[in-house]
Each structure stands twice: as C-alpha cells, then as structure tokens.
Amino acid sequence: MARDIKEQILSFGEIPNAHEVVTIAYAGVRLPSGNLYKDELFPTTAIQQVVVYLQEQAKDMEADGVKNIDVKVITSHNEEGSEVVDYLATGTIIKLV
C-alpha cells in the first residue's frame, strides 16, 4: 500500500531503514526570473514543488518515499531570450523491506 504523501520518507541522503530501490525519479519546474519574489513566489516554493513531484511519483509506484534527493538550480534563457530559472530534482524511490 502506498504511503500518503504526508507520511512518506524523504531524505537528502541515505536512510538507515532496510529498503529496496524502485527507480530514479526526475522532476523540473521553470520560473521566469522576473517573477521571483512577486506574489509570494519564492525560490523555496519551486524547491517544494519539485520535491512534491518526486513524492507523487513514489505514491504512484506504491513506494514508501524518496531518498538521495538532489535539487539543482540553473539559470538560462527561454526561446524568447528572457532569463528563466530551472529547478531540477532527482531522487531514488524506495520501498521498505
């Protein structure tokens, strides 16, 4: 049975519990850099969002959580030349044994 998102194990490193690896999950969010700090849109908001995307993938796979979460922040430009900030996350989806 999949853990509810609120009950999932989340870790930016290893976990001490016995577990098996299900797969690697990926998530991304792109924000126009000019929108940051407006209308309560903060960099932490995007980080929370990519972590939730990882959690949703774990739930869909009936897993217990995500370990080794890594979030990278990359500034680049979109097709129109405007500056954007990409928040890219990876994590290892796990099931406890």
Side-chain angles (χ1 to χ4, degrees):
M1 184 172 141
R3 285 184 185 226
D4 184 62
I5 285 179
K6 294 177 184 176
E7 297 174 359
Q8 285 183 1
I9 296 167
L10 293 178
S11 176
F12 286 89
E14 278 297 329
I15 63 167
N17 314 71
H19 62 278
E20 63 182 38
V21 171
V22 176
T23 191
I24 304 297
Y26 306 90
V29 171
R30 173 173 278 187
L31 299 176
S33 61
N35 289 0
L36 290 172
Y37 300 102
K38 294 180 183 175
D39 298 322
E40 297 188 30
L41 182 61
F42 302 103
T44 52
T45 307
I47 292 169
Q48 289 173 328
Q49 193 171 10
V50 292
V51 170
V52 166
Y53 289 159
L54 297 176
Q55 288 179 278
E56 288 172 346
Q57 291 176 60
K59 184 176 180 184
D60 290 346
M61 295 180 181
E62 299 186 358
D64 294 301
V66 186
K67 71 172 188 172
N68 295 327
I69 298 170
D70 184 41
V71 179
K72 301 235 184 294
V73 180
I74 301 169
T75 304
S76 61
H77 293 84
N78 64 14
E79 301 79 28
E80 292 84 33
S82 299
E83 186 175 84
V84 295
V85 182
D86 290 313
Y87 295 81
L88 308 171
T90 59
T92 305
I93 295 179
I94 56 151
K95 284 187 181 183
L96 298 180
V97 294

